[in-house]
Amino acid sequence: AIIGYGLSQFKSEILGIHLPSLTRFWNSADKRNFITAGAGAGIASVFHAPVGGLLFTLEEVASFWDIKLAWQTFFCCMMAAFTTDLLSSSLCGFVYRGQFGFFKAEKRILFWVKNLLDMSVLAFVPAIFLGILGGLLGALFVFLNIKINKLRMWFFSTIPKTSLRKTAKLLESVLILVLTITATVYVPYFFHCTPVKILPTFDLTSKPENISQVKWQISEYNCPPAALQIGPELVKNSNQTFNEAAALLGENGMRGIMYLFRRGTHEEFGYASLLTALVFYFLLSCLTAGSAVASGLVIPMLYIGALYGRIVGLILVSIFGIQTDENAAWIDPGLFAAVGAASFFSGVSRLTISLTVIMVEITNDVQSLLLIMLAVMLAKVVGDWFNMSLYSSLLKLKCIPYLDAEPFVCHKKNWINLELFAASDVMKPSVKVLHLKENVAFLAQLLTNTCHSGFPVVCKSKPDQAEVFLGTITRLELCVLLENEAIFETEAMEDSHSSSIILPYQKIRVEKLHDQQWMTMLLDRYSTDPQYQQLVINLEPYINKSAVSVQAHFSLQRTYIIFRSLGLRHLTVVDLQNQVVGIITRKDLMSFQLEEKLGLRQTSQQPQSDEESLLQEEI
């Protein structure tokens, strides 16, 4: 997303790069499209899932979607996945392998499941249970993480000095590091060594490094080294053992997930090691998410779901035993580990379509597609009963005005239908409006005394008529106009329709002011110097005459959809005569603001009870 934003602007103040050929992308719509495509390309590159990256942007990132954005994002995801596969085919880190352009399945598919299993309708029963469990645990994870982050924010807010606050964040990261390493190193000592159930076989004609890789496939930890029995054609491990907890905690997350997803290893991990790793990952992930530790949530979410999915599969194996019949071969802990990983991922993130495709692309397990779809859907439905997704909850916690796809407003445990309310119920009245020609000193005082990001502009079509809404102009545009004294006019020129000098579009459409302190000094001079009392600015060439406005009686539900879909920052509300009566900003449409305003209005409009009506009639 960051790379997409930078490429859309393609200018750098530090490096002094300004390419005029890309100025056509210097608008908010193209900027959002580049950000959307960049986020999809990142998902496609990390998971080697181009279709999953495309669907992720459709489901989670983009507020407005059309076919043009779809094929642009599809192209970016395709190129990102292709570039990653091409580099991975020839490089391992910075070591050249000499296999440029040869894509191996082991490298391209992250958690490749080689042994696909035939499904049975009975497999949907544990999949339903995993979906419900994923929703419950996902909602619990979001609840605990938000509580921890609130406590973290409160603690850091009590530290007055910035340097001490940064030091406290560093110490918190060190504390998490110490806890993680301590648990990872010492917890496996409480577990005994377990014999390897399935012995890997290697050909003597293969390279020597293939034989040495036996030690890395299963963590031996404190177990005695295995004795190798060399036969005439094969090399076998006769008494290899491994530590279950070390394999789950000591190995990296990706390798641990591969252990859990692997089919045909019904009793490779026991209940004790799986439960220990589940508690360890669940609690430490709750603590780490939101801290200054640079750690992601994707691998922990997959790991946690795979752990309890493996436990459910192990319970089925304990009940029905290891099945060799092809009709009951679906009773495999590795299968339910993949389903559980998808369910917990959905319970935390509330993704559905893109998550299902990503799970299929990273495992290559098309046979379990229906099970994953069912578990993902149930996890989302169950999780939504309790709270929002983790990312939406963190946005709300940090007071970032993000609008969900659909507004959910609840008052006294009752859902409020926004179709029953109008735009005037949430708008801010008494709007500061501007005219086509405004005094320089007045504009300076207005920008100094207010912090609004946009202002409606009104005009009179005839001298004897009322002022009607014409368009809007942003605060940043007004600041740019005030920086250029060449466009100032005297009151004697006020009757003219246009100024002698008009600034170009590229100069007006800036992202931020170059020097905020200089702008403050300039506004102070304009407000106090008497000579600027006689100067005006013609705003007509610079206002946005295509600004969206709605009637005061317009449906609030549709107002919300228009505001979010178009990515607006402010929406002007007019009456039947097209006169400005209010304005709606993004913060006015936040859930808690809607609950407060509409709840109070609903209470005031609530009909009286029969006893109160009879009492008033008697009086």
Side-chain angles (χ1 to χ4, degrees):
I2 294 174
I3 293 175
Y5 175 85
L7 287 179
S8 66
Q9 307 304 298
F10 219 93
K11 58 180 181 179
S12 173
E13 299 295 338
I14 298 176
L15 301 178
I17 299 176
H18 295 276
L19 295 183
S21 60
L22 296 179
T23 53
R24 63 182 298 268
F25 300 120
W26 291 1
N27 57 79
S28 58
D30 285 326
K31 187 193 305 180
R32 289 196 299 269
N33 291 345
F34 270 85
I35 293 173
T36 301
I43 294 293
S45 176
V46 170
F47 293 107
H48 301 271
V51 182
L54 172 65
L55 295 177
F56 174 78
T57 58
L58 167 63
E59 185 175 3
E60 189 71 12
V61 180
S63 301
F64 178 76
W65 191 260
D66 57 2
I67 190 63
K68 179 182 178 182
L69 179 59
W71 71 258
Q72 287 176 344
T73 307
F74 179 78
F75 176 76
C76 290
C77 294
M78 177 189 67
M79 293 304 299
F82 174 76
T83 306
T84 304
D85 293 340
L86 195 63
L87 294 176
S88 300
S89 66
S90 57
L91 298 174
C92 180
F94 294 100
V95 179
Y96 180 68
R97 289 178 172 270
Q99 298 174 337
F100 184 79
F102 183 66
F103 301 157
K104 289 186 176 180
E106 290 91 344
K107 289 291 183 182
R108 195 194 179 284
I109 304 174
L110 295 182
F111 311 112
W112 186 23
V113 177
K114 300 180 181 179
N115 302 324
L116 301 184
L117 302 175
D118 295 330
M119 290 298 109
S120 170
V121 68
L122 298 176
F124 287 89
V125 177
I128 292 174
F129 175 75
L130 285 174
I132 297 174
L133 184 60
L136 294 175
L137 290 180
L140 177 62
F141 184 91
V142 174
F143 173 77
L144 293 177
N145 183 256
I146 295 301
K147 291 294 184 183
I148 292 174
N149 278 306
K150 285 183 178 180
L151 180 62
R152 179 182 289 120
M153 293 174 63
W154 169 82
F155 175 75
F156 289 140
S157 64
T158 58
I159 303 176
K161 294 185 178 181
T162 307
S163 59
L164 293 178
R165 192 181 303 119
K166 293 181 179 179
T167 305
K169 291 183 178 180
L170 177 61
L171 292 177
E172 183 197 18
S173 302
V174 173
L175 177 61
I176 294 175
L177 174 65
V178 171
L179 289 176
T180 305
I181 293 178
T182 303
T184 302
V185 172
Y186 288 102
V187 168
Y189 275 107
F190 295 95
F191 290 83
H192 301 288
C193 294
T194 306
V196 177
K197 302 297 190 302
I198 300 178
L199 301 178
T201 303
F202 295 90
D203 190 357
L204 279 177
T205 60
S206 61
K207 296 183 179 180
E209 55 265 21
N210 290 338
I211 300 177
S212 63
Q213 287 178 358
V214 178
K215 297 181 179 180
W216 295 100
Q217 288 187 357
I218 297 177
S219 179
E220 296 180 354
Y221 204 62
N222 58 343
C223 301
L228 296 180
Q229 180 182 0
I230 302 176
E233 295 181 355
L234 299 176
V235 175
K236 293 185 178 181
N237 290 318
S238 59
N239 59 350
Q240 187 179 14
T241 58
F242 75 103
N243 190 307
E244 295 181 8
L248 296 175
L249 299 178
E251 301 282 3
N252 63 64
M254 291 185 60
R255 188 172 297 171
I257 294 175
M258 291 179 65
Y259 289 159
L260 296 174
F261 282 3
R262 192 161 49 190
R263 308 295 161 81
T265 56
H266 297 75
E267 298 178 346
E268 189 172 48
F269 298 99
Y271 291 105
S273 60
L274 292 172
L275 287 172
T276 302
L278 176 62
V279 174
F280 171 78
Y281 262 88
F282 190 90
L283 295 180
L284 273 182
S285 298
C286 284
L287 180 63
T288 306
S291 66
V293 179
S295 62
L297 271 175
V298 174
I299 294 298
M301 284 190 291
L302 292 175
Y303 213 155
I304 293 170
L307 286 168
Y308 70 71
R310 187 95 184 181
I311 293 174
V312 172
L314 193 58
I315 293 174
L316 294 177
V317 171
S318 301
I319 296 174
F320 300 102
I322 300 177
Q323 301 293 325
T324 57
D325 185 10
E326 62 177 5
N327 295 327
W330 57 269
I331 305 179
D332 192 304
L335 170 65
F336 296 107
V339 177
S343 68
F344 188 76
F345 203 145
S346 177
V348 175
S349 64
R350 311 297 157 82
L351 297 174
T352 53
I353 305 173
S354 59
L355 176 58
T356 303
V357 175
I358 289 174
M359 288 299 300
V360 173
E361 287 186 302
I362 65 177
T363 60
N364 199 34
D365 188 4
V366 186
Q367 290 290 93
S368 59
L369 176 61
L370 290 178
L371 298 180
I372 293 176
M373 292 176 65
L374 179 61
V376 163
M377 198 65 212
L378 286 175
K380 174 180 169 53
V381 172
V382 173
D384 286 338
W385 283 347
F386 296 95
N387 46 35
M388 299 183 294
S389 68
L390 177 62
Y391 304 119
S392 299
S393 301
L394 290 175
L395 288 173
K396 183 178 179 181
L397 178 64
K398 296 183 178 182
C399 300
I400 297 176
Y402 175 79
L403 300 181
D404 294 315
E406 289 291 335
F408 297 100
V409 184
C410 182
H411 177 67
K412 294 182 179 179
K413 298 183 179 181
N414 295 320
W415 294 106
I416 298 178
N417 186 6
L418 299 189
E419 288 285 1
L420 304 178
F421 296 89
S424 58
D425 295 329
V426 299
M427 71 178 186
K428 287 187 175 68
S430 305
V431 185
K432 301 287 185 181
V433 297
L434 300 177
H435 301 84
L436 289 180
K437 289 195 175 183
E438 280 291 355
N439 184 269
V440 174
F442 171 77
L443 289 177
Q445 293 175 359
L446 180 66
L447 296 178
T448 303
N449 299 329
T450 63
C451 57
H452 307 323
S453 62
F455 300 91
V457 181
V458 297
C459 69
K460 292 183 179 181
S461 57
K462 295 181 180 179
D464 56 342
Q465 292 184 352
E467 296 176 336
V468 296
F469 174 70
L470 180 62
T472 60
I473 189 168
T474 64
R475 181 185 190 89
L476 193 58
E477 291 168 348
L478 290 175
C479 292
V480 173
L481 294 177
L482 291 175
E483 286 181 338
N484 296 270
E485 297 190 22
I487 65 173
F488 293 176
E489 304 175 1
T490 60
E491 292 183 348
M493 302 170 59
E494 191 173 353
D495 295 333
S496 62
H497 295 284
S498 61
S499 60
S500 57
I501 300 177
I502 298 179
L503 297 179
Y505 174 80
Q506 290 79 8
K507 194 169 185 179
I508 292 294
R509 299 296 296 175
V510 296
E511 295 295 327
K512 62 179 181 179
L513 296 175
H514 296 289
D515 192 347
Q516 185 64 44
Q517 294 183 351
W518 164 250
M519 192 67 224
T520 304
M521 296 173 57
L522 203 62
L523 294 178
D524 184 64
R525 189 179 72 183
Y526 289 161
S527 303
T528 56
D529 197 337
Q531 65 173 337
Y532 294 103
Q533 301 286 340
Q534 311 299 325
L535 298 178
V536 296
I537 298 180
N538 184 17
L539 302 179
E540 186 173 5
Y542 312 107
I543 64 175
N544 178 18
K545 296 183 180 180
S546 301
V548 181
S549 63
V550 295
Q551 296 284 336
H553 59 270
F554 196 76
S555 166
L556 181 57
Q557 174 77 20
R558 302 181 187 184
T559 301
Y560 185 97
I561 296 174
I562 291 175
F563 197 101
R564 184 183 185 274
S565 301
L566 297 181
L568 303 179
R569 295 192 63 184
H570 31 261
L571 178 63
T572 307
V573 182
V574 297
D575 58 10
L576 296 177
Q577 289 75 35
N578 200 29
Q579 298 179 10
V580 178
V581 295
I583 196 167
I584 296 176
T585 62
R586 184 175 292 267
K587 293 181 180 180
D588 296 324
L589 297 178
M590 298 296 293
S591 298
F592 66 93
Q593 289 281 6
L594 292 176
E595 291 174 5
E596 182 180 353
K597 293 181 179 180
L598 300 184
L600 293 175
R601 186 173 183 84
Q602 197 175 40
T603 303
S604 62
Q605 294 178 351
Q606 193 173 11
Q608 297 175 338
S609 62
D610 296 339
E611 295 180 358
E612 293 177 347
S613 301
L614 292 174
L615 181 62
Q616 288 188 356
E617 290 178 1
E618 291 178 359
I619 294 176

